[in-house]
Amino acid sequence: MADQTAENVGGSPDGRRFIPNSPRAVRAAQFRASRLVVLMKLILPALALAIIALIVSWPQLIPDHTKFRLGDKVKSVFVAATDGLSMDQPRYVGVDEEHRPYEVTASRASQQSHGDDRLDLVNPQADLAVNDVEWMALSAATGVYDKKQQTIDLAGGVTVFHDRGYTVTSDTAQVLLDKGMATSDDPVSAHGQSGIATGEGFRIYDRGERIIFTGKSKITFFPAQIQGGKPQGVN
């Protein structure tokens, strides 16, 4: 009778082992599924927090050297403070006695301390406005700018260019920014539309309105360019 019941129900005596166990298997599967849901509820938020933390910390892990970083800047300032202070691409502006503007720029400036009025300049250039439309520029390899005295001592090859088209070169020169003057006691050469000149020094007054060559000097005029019997820009 037992075998017949087994055949009717499962077709095999072995079928009697699985029928009573089916509800237990269902409950086990449901339990495992519920545990998986609980684990996912814990894992997914933790994974999201980890991704957010990685995004926030990524610039620190792989820094961009093209951007300003405070840590590097502070370090460089402290290092420079042991031997003085320095600045890249400085720019200083002012006006002379007649309220005409001037500007001093350089690729680099350094000074011994905050209270020092003198700055050592690399590749300095001074631009002085002659009037509303004309200007004069002086450049050199090195220079010392005195903020209090408003002077620049240029060295390493000085070039003076005036907007009227003439150029003066010398080894050194001192520029008096407040007076619009430039002087040198080194050999000088000049050339422009009016002619060429050499001398043992020069004096430039009123921002290039007058130039005087000192010592043994030689001037060659270009007659076609002389206006009124006098070369333009040369005295």
Side-chain angles (χ1 to χ4, degrees), residues 97-184:
E97 294 175 344
E98 298 183 13
H99 302 286
R100 293 176 297 186
Y102 65 81
E103 178 181 273
V104 177
T105 59
S107 60
R108 188 173 182 83
S110 60
Q111 62 184 140
Q112 296 298 318
S113 63
H114 284 289
D116 193 359
D117 292 325
R118 295 170 63 86
L119 294 95
D120 295 320
L121 304 179
V122 178
N123 299 322
Q125 177 170 318
D127 295 303
L128 297 81
V130 178
N131 49 50
D132 292 339
V133 295
E134 295 180 322
W135 52 273
M136 182 177 70
L138 303 94
S139 60
T142 61
V144 178
Y145 173 45
D146 192 316
K147 295 184 292 183
K148 186 176 182 180
Q149 300 296 327
Q150 298 187 58
T151 61
I152 305 178
D153 294 323
L154 300 175
V158 179
T159 300
V160 182
F161 178 80
H162 199 281
D163 196 35
R164 292 181 182 176
Y166 66 81
T167 302
V168 180
T169 59
S170 183
D171 289 338
T172 64
Q174 183 182 56
V175 185
L176 285 68
L177 297 169
D178 60 336
K179 299 182 181 300
M181 291 178 52
T183 66
S184 177

Side-chain angles (χ1 to χ4, degrees), residues 58-127:
W58 187 258
Q60 303 298 326
L61 297 176
I62 304 178
D64 185 356
H65 295 287
T66 63
K67 296 182 179 180
F68 172 78
R69 293 184 298 169
L70 180 61
D72 290 349
K73 192 67 175 180
V74 171
K75 181 178 179 181
S76 64
V77 169
F78 284 140
V79 171
T82 60
D83 297 323
L85 303 173
S86 63
M87 177 188 300
D88 291 331
Q89 305 296 328
R91 177 174 176 267
Y92 309 95
V93 296
V95 295
D96 66 3
E97 294 175 344
E98 298 183 13
H99 302 286
R100 293 176 297 186
Y102 65 81
E103 178 181 273
V104 177
T105 59
S107 60
R108 188 173 182 83
S110 60
Q111 62 184 140
Q112 296 298 318
S113 63
H114 284 289
D116 193 359
D117 292 325
R118 295 170 63 86
L119 294 95
D120 295 320
L121 304 179
V122 178
N123 299 322
Q125 177 170 318
D127 295 303

Side-chain angles (χ1 to χ4, degrees), residues 8-69:
N8 294 333
V9 175
S12 171
D14 296 334
R16 289 177 297 178
R17 293 199 304 269
F18 297 99
I19 295 174
N21 292 335
S22 294
R24 184 182 300 174
V26 172
R27 287 195 300 271
Q30 293 175 346
F31 178 72
R32 285 194 298 270
S34 62
R35 288 187 60 185
L36 180 60
V37 171
V38 172
L39 288 175
M40 293 300 292
K41 288 182 178 180
L42 296 176
I43 292 175
L44 289 178
L47 182 60
L49 291 175
I51 293 174
I52 294 173
L54 180 61
I55 293 173
V56 173
S57 62
W58 187 258
Q60 303 298 326
L61 297 176
I62 304 178
D64 185 356
H65 295 287
T66 63
K67 296 182 179 180
F68 172 78
R69 293 184 298 169

